[in-house]
Each structure stands twice: as C-alpha cells, then as structure tokens.
Amino acid sequence: MERRHFLATLALTPFAARAAPRPAVFVVHPYDTPSRLYARYRPLTLYLGGVLGRPMRLVIAQTYDEQIEMIASGRADYAYLGPTPYVRARNRAAVEILAGESEGGQAFYQSALVVRADSRIGQVADLVGTRVALGAEISMSSAVAPKQMLAQAGIRRADLANVVHLDRHERVALAVLHGDFDAGGLRLDIARTYLPRGLRILATSQPLPPHVIAASPRVAPEEAKRVRLALLHPDASGRDALAALGPAVAFVEVEDAHYAVVRRMERALENW
C-alpha cells in the first residue's frame, strides 16, 4: 500500500511542478539604496501578486539601461519607470502604460537646481564656469530637466567647469553640501528634505509627467487590465501597499501622449 502511494505521488510531482504559475517579474530602477527600494516596493508586488494569483518577484536593476532592456525584451513583466526610461523603452517595444503615479493629488513632479545656502550664486545664469553634479544621465529629474534649466538660461556643457553624473539623488545633494560641487540637479521633493541641512533651491523646473507602472509586450491584455484596475481602484490591502510608496501616493490614468514633452526635451538637448 505504501509503495503504491509513493508511486502515485511520484507520478503526480512533475505535473504539479508544471502547473505551478510562473512568477511575474517587477523591475525598479536604482534611484535609491536597495534596502529602501525593497521596503518601498515589496508591499506593492505582494499586493499585485495576490491580485494575479501568482507570485511577483521584485528586481532592482543594476542600471537604468538594464531596466529598459528587461521591460522592452519581456525579461520583466512590469516596471516602475521614470519619464525618460519609459520613452526609451517605448521606442524599443510596445510597452504599455498601466497607470501614472500621483502624489498629494498631483499627477506631476518637478526638478530643482540646488546650491549651498551660503553660496553667492543667485540665479541660474551665475552657474557659468562652475562645477555641477547631476544624477544618472537618463534620470528626468536629476539630469534631463536640470540640463534643460541650464539651457534655458543660455548655459551649455562647454560653459561649465565640470559636469559629473553621480547616479542617486542623495549623492548629488551631499556632494553640493560638502562643497565638492557648486550646484546640483535632483528631484524637488528630495531637495526640500536637505534644506534644513544647508541646501538652497536655486530654480525649479516646469511640471514633469509622472512615473508610471508599465507592462511588457508579452503580458496578456486581460492580465494587464487586472493590474491596471488594481492600481487605479485598490482595495484595503492595496491602499496599505501604496502607503509604503509614500503617505499620499495613488495611481491615475495617463497616456503615452503625456510624454511628448519628454521626447521634445531629449531632442532639444541632443547637442547640449
């Protein structure tokens, strides 16, 4: 009897393994430390995995380019993308926006140029000949938008003593605070957290289209629809997951057309 039970179990095991749902992959770009990103996005992937009825694995990409490759190629099913990475991923494949991030009821955010509070620099035009720290080259709020603000003030790359990309926003803030650079570009809400420590906001950008959660081309339309609805109309567990992203974060409907401004900015800065 025991032998028959063992053989029956053995025969069913491969079928059970084949029937197990494939985990979905959700990829985030490395704009903060891995520990903080994990704490922020793991509740969201648990929530969405519950909605889909299959596990969702959180992956923190090593670089922005790796994240773009993963979502465009289908190695990742879902991604949290900034405006510039979304546009570049969309240029490569039919990546689909599911929802845009809103904070405090505003479906946009801004970038800032910052200097030390005791700096003599009073306006963007004064940055000629200075050292400027930026974030990752592909980051909208810590690189693309700051470059646009410089360009609008008539400042090109050749007019600056040095421009260095330091990847994360906090590195930019600390580099300016420590006097390693005269000015820096980073997201406005992050810049504000450093004001008590001695930074000053020199200028802010135009409103920028929001970060998005997008699906890769290989995600089935019905599944993508379920994730979209879960983001736009979260239940109690979903609201708890969104709270981990920020106290006033929600998701709203946005379309690819909202990112035309990003495409224009990138074209304008091609020869910066």
Side-chain angles (χ1 to χ4, degrees):
M1 182 69 180
E2 289 182 0
R3 184 172 179 274
R4 286 198 301 271
H5 178 73
F6 170 76
L7 291 174
T9 302
L10 188 64
L12 288 172
T13 298
F15 175 79
R18 288 194 299 270
R22 180 186 65 82
V25 175
F26 186 105
V27 65
V28 177
H29 52 290
Y31 69 91
D32 205 342
T33 63
S35 60
R36 286 202 285 255
L37 291 174
Y38 190 86
R40 199 169 293 151
Y41 292 97
R42 185 56 180 145
L44 180 63
T45 57
L46 288 172
Y47 165 59
L48 295 178
V51 168
L52 296 178
R54 63 172 173 145
M56 184 172 287
R57 183 164 62 93
L58 175 62
V59 174
I60 300 168
Q62 293 296 310
T63 65
Y64 285 69
D65 287 339
E66 182 186 39
Q67 184 199 32
I68 293 168
E69 187 280 327
M70 288 182 69
I71 192 66
S73 69
R75 287 204 298 127
D77 301 279
Y78 302 97
Y80 174 78
L81 294 162
T84 319
Y86 162 71
V87 165
R88 295 193 185 181
R90 178 72 180 185
N91 289 343
R92 294 179 54 176
V95 173
E96 179 186 6
I97 295 176
L98 301 181
E101 187 178 51
S102 168
E103 190 164 2
Q106 296 181 328
F108 66 87
Y109 70 119
Q110 289 176 273
S111 170
L113 286 171
V114 298
V115 295
R116 281 175 56 100
D118 58 3
S119 172
R120 294 182 179 180
I121 297 169
Q123 56 185 345
V124 178
D126 296 338
L127 291 175
V128 172
T130 65
R131 304 161 300 164
V132 176
L134 300 174
E137 287 193 64
I138 198 171
S139 169
M140 171 57 67
S141 58
S142 65
V144 179
K147 288 177 183 177
Q148 184 196 43
M149 286 187 276
L150 290 166
Q152 288 173 335
I155 299 175
R156 301 174 63 85
R157 171 64 183 84
D159 299 319
L160 299 169
N162 195 16
V163 177
V164 174
H165 291 273
L166 301 177
D167 295 328
R168 295 206 302 266
H169 298 253
E170 64 176 6
R171 290 179 179 171
V172 173
L174 292 173
V176 177
L177 277 174
H178 295 160
D180 298 325
F181 292 87
D182 304 295
L186 68 163
R187 186 166 165 148
L188 176 59
D189 56 352
I190 297 176
R192 284 173 173 152
T193 67
Y194 283 88
L195 299 184
R197 298 175 62 175
L199 281 188
R200 171 165 54 87
I201 293 172
L202 183 66
T204 58
S205 73
Q206 67 185 68
L208 306 169
H211 287 58
V212 299
I213 290 182
S216 83
R218 81 173 185 182
V219 173
E222 182 57 34
E223 179 176 300
K225 180 180 178 181
R226 291 167 65 191
V227 172
R228 178 184 289 111
L229 291 174
L231 293 169
L232 298 177
H233 308 289
D235 59 17
S237 63
R239 290 191 291 273
D240 289 342
L242 266 56
L245 300 176
V249 169
F251 285 96
V252 298
E253 294 187 18
V254 295
E255 299 177 356
D256 179 77
H258 291 108
Y259 295 82
V261 62
V262 179
R263 297 179 172 96
R264 289 195 297 270
M265 289 170 68
E266 288 216 287
R267 287 195 297 269
L269 292 171
E270 283 179 356
N271 299 314
W272 183 75

